[in-house]
Amino acid sequence: MGDRKIKVETLTRVEGEGGLFIRMSGETIEEVRLEIYEPPRLFEALLRGRPLEDAPDITARICGICPVAYQMSSVHALESALEVTVSPEIRRLRRLLYCGEWIESHGLHMHLLHAPDFLGFESGLEMAKQFPEAVNRGLRLKKHGNQLVDLLGGRAIHPVNVCVGGFYRIPRRNEFQKLIPDFEWGLNAAMETTRWVAGFDFPEMVSDCEFVSLSHPDEYPMNEGVMKSSLGDVIEVEQYEEEFEERQVPHSTALQAFRKSTGRPYLLGPLSRINLNRDQLFPQARKLADEIGWEPVCRNPHKAIIARGLEIVHAYEEGLSILRDQHLAGKPRETYTPQAGTGKSATEAPRGTLYHRYEIDDQGKIVEACIVPPTSQNQAQIEVDLKHVVSESMGNEETELARKCENLVRAYDPCISCSTHFLKVTIDRH
Amino acid sequence: MSVGKPRLAVFKFASCDGCQLSLLDAEDQLLSVADALEIVYFPEATSRMEAGPYDISLIEGSITTPHDATRIQQIRRDSRFLMTIGACATSGGIQALRNGADSAEFMRSVYATPGYIEVLEHSTPIADHVAVDFELRGCPINQYQLIEVIQSLLAGRTPRTPGHSVCLDCKRRGTVCVTVAQGIACLGPVTQSGCNALCPSYNRGCYGCFGPASQINLVSLTSQMEQDGASRQEISNSLQNFNNNAPAFREESRRLQDRNGEPD
């Protein structure tokens, strides 16, 4: 075998713009690149000099699929800088909002983007012709997630109700209660969906990656906790930038992330969250994990679709418990006086840990912002796993090998618009 | 339209994907839309990737790289009806904030080393590059408006998307005016309808997602804001939103910046 090159110009059924490039020489893999060529939008620079109140609205625009994650990481980081503690009610409502986004984002990925790979369709819409029940169920689940974000956030994409200190307005109890029947149906439907995807035919694969996610003693991780690793380390969010570093690579508009202590990449997202926090799942989700035989540590990235299903079940269960809560009243937000300081926060976006740091001045203006999205952190690990797939499938012809690689990338649900806030640019003056 | 089902394509430039997601979020109509059209190019949703010509092309995002400036020209040649969706495509988006800055300085302040990708100095709307047949506003767009425009195209009638201001919708909803009752600054009087006057119903001022409405008197509003105690810097800042590069917002924001610090 001589030199072979495999190029996928445009990855499909992923959020954002990226491609794949693989170069082999005989039996040696010379190069494997997940190419991210999404144009940069320079959010960290846009935030400079803005009032801190603008951060949740502006950072939401980094990603239309997971705007809640950006709003949550930004408000928590800024509240930390302002030394504001939100009430237990606001804390619960923020978890409820996240439940909505997880349901919507995971529902979209499972049914419209990922499942077609296992069943041999080019899209979820094509798949609907042969699997109308599964696709319609998936669309309904996704719709519930959107309805919840719509109610509590004001709209499903770029919610308007989130602010530093809490919410602009807390919806009325009867508005929450209206969602309960749908959520009761959805909880069962989510379990059916998870059983359905658990029955797919998964390619064999063992990734020896390090799993990393937030972790909390009392709850499944969403808005707070410490960083936990499958190597046994526990890292405070305050130490995030000391522990994880980002490096520049020529083929990507996103920086790639590594653990400083090991020099190796790591993996964030639903697979890591379930592997590290299974005991914190709500009862039905935990029981379902046992029923479908989820391993103590699942190392097959293709099975992330099952992890997403389990998380949807959890989000319905926890969502229901909050929707039924009789005590969701109180003042919508905490007030604060601007003060100079730095605040850091990490929350669990659907695709993994999203870290924000802000420095603010005593006028309440943003001096500096640092945003580290999950997909840019996963990129290096995705490339390691791609090498693994290529080495296992050397004998395949190009189209088949490209298909396998593309399927693997989709399993991580990369969110490419998110990942490109970092770019070293040359300015073309035309 | 071509013989058989109209061919629909969805393209992305610099954006967050939220507007094309609006199409996938129209869960109730999604499968019937997919049935009435051939979705032949929509990378986010399908691996089917057919070359043009296309009957309807939806364009999300702004032009920020030389490569994209070339790509949009080809898409225009391939498309019978080209429609831009969202604030990035119709006005340049939040990323157009760099247009007003000394962009070399702006870039240097963020990026220490020279780079790999060529980026244009400005973020510009699609209409600055090619002829656009229809613009759908919003950050994000309203999914019902998107479905309405697609349906009207299929039926051969004019789309019904209003051009009046958010204020009118507040009155329709029966929302008590947040400015009059609470003194909250609000861009509702000068922002185009499309969100169903969302923000005031959540007890905050409109922040201009749908861009300037037609026939507005922006100076009248900003003068009122000044009288109510806002500084010119604060007012200018509020116009530097997701439609900061829409001419009406851009010019008034600059005028206020230039007068910042001057006596009244």
Side-chain angles (χ1 to χ4, degrees):
Chain A
M1 294 217 289
D3 276 4
R4 297 166 74 198
K5 280 184 190 164
I6 292 175
K7 193 161 176 56
V8 176
E9 291 283 354
T10 307
L11 288 163
T12 58
R13 281 182 280 125
V14 299
E15 187 289 336
E17 293 184 285
L20 274 178
F21 178 77
I22 296 156
R23 190 164 55 86
M24 292 169 283
S25 167
E27 292 291 299
T28 316
I29 303 167
E30 299 285 353
E31 224 179 337
V32 168
R33 301 199 312 240
L34 172 59
E35 297 183 316
I36 289 187
Y37 50 77
E38 172 98 19
R41 292 164 70 216
L42 310 169
F43 273 92
E44 285 150 320
L46 305 181
L47 287 161
R48 244 177 236 166
R50 302 286 297 209
L52 66 90
E53 288 76 15
D54 288 357
D57 294 325
I58 291 182
T59 57
R61 268 67 181 186
I62 293 174
C63 178
I65 296 184
C66 53
V68 169
Y70 284 89
Q71 298 194 323
M72 289 298 106
S73 285
S74 65
V75 295
H76 285 99
L78 288 162
E79 282 156 14
S80 151
L82 295 161
E83 299 180 81
V84 167
T85 310
V86 299
S87 67
E89 290 79 18
I90 289 171
R91 200 176 175 283
R92 287 206 87 191
L93 285 171
R94 285 179 171 175
R95 286 185 72 83
L96 181 64
L97 187 65
Y98 239 148
C99 286
E101 178 155 287
W102 282 19
I103 294 169
E104 164 270 320
S105 176
H106 284 350
L108 169 79
H109 189 260
M110 289 171 74
H111 298 88
L112 293 181
L113 311 185
H114 200 191
D117 280 344
F118 295 99
L119 302 170
F121 293 93
E122 57 192 13
S123 75
L125 301 171
E126 284 299 311
M127 195 169 77
K129 292 170 187 163
Q130 276 192 50
F131 294 90
E133 196 190 338
V135 173
N136 277 309
R137 182 178 58 203
L139 288 175
R140 263 188 88 177
L141 296 176
K142 188 166 97 59
K143 189 177 173 177
H144 292 166
N146 281 332
Q147 283 173 326
L148 178 52
V149 179
D150 202 47
L151 167 65
L152 186 49
R155 63 183 166 200
I157 301 169
H158 306 327
V160 304
N161 196 22
V162 173
C163 61
V164 177
F167 292 96
Y168 288 95
R169 171 171 83 81
I170 294 183
R172 290 181 296 277
R173 258 196 60 209
N174 64 348
E175 291 180 289
F176 285 127
Q177 285 173 321
K178 270 189 211 147
L179 295 178
I180 292 174
D182 271 348
F183 268 64
E184 285 170 339
W185 178 90
L187 175 55
N188 285 314
M191 292 199 276
E192 284 310 305
T193 277
T194 308
R195 289 187 184 105
W196 177 61
V197 300
F200 287 169
D201 188 8
F202 292 95
E204 287 291 321
M205 184 166 167
V206 178
S207 167
D208 68 347
C209 66
E210 177 187 357
F211 299 106
V212 173
S213 92
L214 278 182
S215 190
H216 190 280
D218 309 318
E219 58 196 17
Y220 199 71
M222 278 184 185
N223 280 321
E224 64 181 274
V226 293
M227 304 290 299
K228 208 165 139 183
S229 149
S230 55
L231 301 179
D233 309 346
V234 174
I235 301 147
E236 295 290 334
V237 172
E238 287 290 316
Q239 264 58 62
Y240 195 90
E241 287 171 84
E242 282 85 71
E243 284 289 335
F244 301 96
E245 76 171 333
E246 293 183 289
R247 293 181 205 158
Q248 196 178 321
V249 291
H251 58 269
S252 171
T253 55
L255 291 183
Q256 295 200 352
F258 299 84
R259 272 295 298 276
K260 283 186 188 173
S261 55
T262 62
R264 294 180 55 200
Y266 54 98
L267 184 75
L268 306 169
L271 207 55
S272 298
R273 280 193 298 257
I274 299 258
N275 281 340
L276 295 165
N277 304 281
R278 183 178 183 161
D279 294 348
Q280 301 292 1
L281 286 167
F282 261 56
Q284 300 208 57
R286 206 167 53 232
K287 223 163 68 189
L288 185 62
D290 297 343
E291 178 201 319
I292 59 180
W294 185 264
E295 303 149 68
V297 178
C298 173
R299 293 197 159 273
N300 185 343
H302 295 285
K303 291 191 175 174
I305 191 171
I306 310 174
R308 285 184 193 98
L310 292 169
E311 286 194 332
I312 291 186
V313 174
H314 171 90
Y316 268 101
E317 263 186 290
E318 179 163 5
L320 268 172
S321 77
I322 302 172
L323 290 171
R324 289 177 179 139
D325 190 338
Q326 306 287 324
H327 307 288
L328 284 181
K331 58 177 179 182
R333 58 176 147 162
E334 302 296 329
T335 52
Y336 51 85
T337 314
Q339 59 176 42
T342 297
K344 303 166 184 177
S345 163
T347 72
E348 286 293 335
R351 289 155 190 79
T353 316
L354 167 64
Y355 173 80
H356 285 215
R357 168 175 52 84
Y358 296 91
E359 187 192 329
I360 53 176
D361 66 16
D362 56 8
Q363 300 299 301
K365 291 255 184 359
I366 295 169
V367 179
E368 191 177 67
C370 165
I371 296 169
V372 190
T375 293
S376 57
Q377 296 179 77
N378 281 344
Q379 198 187 344
Q381 185 58 48
I382 295 174
E383 290 183 355
V384 169
D385 289 344
L386 277 169
K387 276 197 182 112
H388 181 98
V389 167
V390 173
S391 64
E392 296 277 299
S393 313
M394 276 288 186
N396 290 173
E397 50 93 26
E398 268 60 357
T399 337
E400 178 61 7
L401 189 51
R403 187 189 64 80
K404 282 185 180 171
C405 289
E406 214 179 330
N407 286 3
L408 176 72
V409 172
R410 266 195 292 271
Y412 297 98
D413 187 11
C415 188
I416 296 175
S417 293
C418 287
S419 60
T420 62
H421 65 294
F422 278 119
L423 174 68
K424 313 304 169 217
V425 287
T426 51
I427 299 172
D428 185 285
R429 294 192 177 276
H430 283 301
Chain B
M1 299 285 173
S2 54
V3 180
K5 290 182 187 175
R7 294 160 54 82
L8 176 87
V10 182
F11 297 94
K12 171 181 158 71
F13 291 85
S15 67
C16 79
D17 267 35
C19 292
Q20 48 182 313
L21 181 66
S22 298
L23 181 55
L24 299 179
D25 274 357
E27 289 95 0
D28 298 337
Q29 294 92 1
L30 183 60
L31 295 179
S32 59
V33 166
D35 215 35
L37 296 152
E38 288 287 334
I39 300 178
V40 295
Y41 187 91
F42 185 0
E44 187 176 13
T46 175
S47 299
R48 182 176 179 179
M49 295 175 92
E50 290 186 19
Y54 309 109
D55 292 305
I56 304 171
S57 289
L58 307 181
I59 314 290
E60 174 191 277
S62 67
I63 303 295
T64 57
T65 66
H67 171 75
D68 279 353
T70 311
R71 186 161 65 105
I72 191 65
Q73 297 294 339
Q74 185 57 45
I75 292 170
R76 176 67 269 189
R77 284 193 288 272
D78 286 342
S79 310
R80 268 173 63 104
F81 185 92
L82 184 145
M83 169 163 126
T84 54
I85 53 170
C88 294
T90 57
S91 76
I94 187 74
Q95 57 274 17
L97 281 173
R98 72 171 184 252
N99 300 5
D102 168 1
S103 85
E105 181 49 44
F106 201 69
M107 298 286 187
R108 261 199 309 275
S109 70
V110 187
Y111 304 114
T113 47
Y116 306 115
I117 275 204
E118 283 191 304
V119 173
L120 296 169
E121 196 174 356
H122 294 128
S123 167
T124 43
I126 302 298
D128 283 10
H129 298 261
V130 295
V132 170
D133 299 306
F134 194 84
E135 289 193 325
L136 198 57
R137 299 272 202 87
C139 182
I141 55 169
N142 173 329
Q143 54 161 280
Y144 301 103
Q145 286 192 345
L146 177 64
I147 299 293
E148 156 65 20
V149 177
I150 291 174
Q151 283 172 339
S152 69
L153 278 173
L154 295 174
R157 61 172 172 79
T158 310
R160 286 184 288 258
T161 53
H164 62 256
S165 79
V166 168
C167 259
L168 205 62
D169 292 342
C170 257
K171 308 297 169 285
R172 280 191 181 135
R173 281 187 77 147
T175 304
V176 175
C177 178
V178 294
T179 302
V180 173
Q182 302 179 65
I184 297 172
C186 179
L187 293 179
V190 296
T191 298
Q192 185 182 295
S193 154
C195 62
N196 193 21
L198 180 65
C199 285
S201 77
Y202 277 80
N203 203 32
R204 67 179 291 194
C206 161
Y207 61 97
C209 295
F210 278 70
S214 52
Q215 300 179 319
I216 53 173
N217 186 345
L218 191 47
V219 176
S220 166
L221 179 69
T222 56
S223 308
Q224 183 61 50
M225 286 176 169
E226 272 196 73
Q227 280 178 35
D228 291 345
S231 72
R232 286 173 194 152
Q233 180 59 48
E234 284 168 341
I235 302 165
S236 165
N237 196 76
S238 72
L239 294 169
Q240 292 181 355
N241 55 31
F242 308 100
N243 290 283
N244 62 78
N245 192 42
F249 285 1
R250 185 180 64 215
E251 278 147 35
E252 178 59 7
S253 169
R254 279 192 191 155
R255 189 186 72 86
L256 289 161
Q257 292 274 6
D258 292 344
R259 291 181 58 235
N260 201 17
E262 283 178 25
D264 290 332

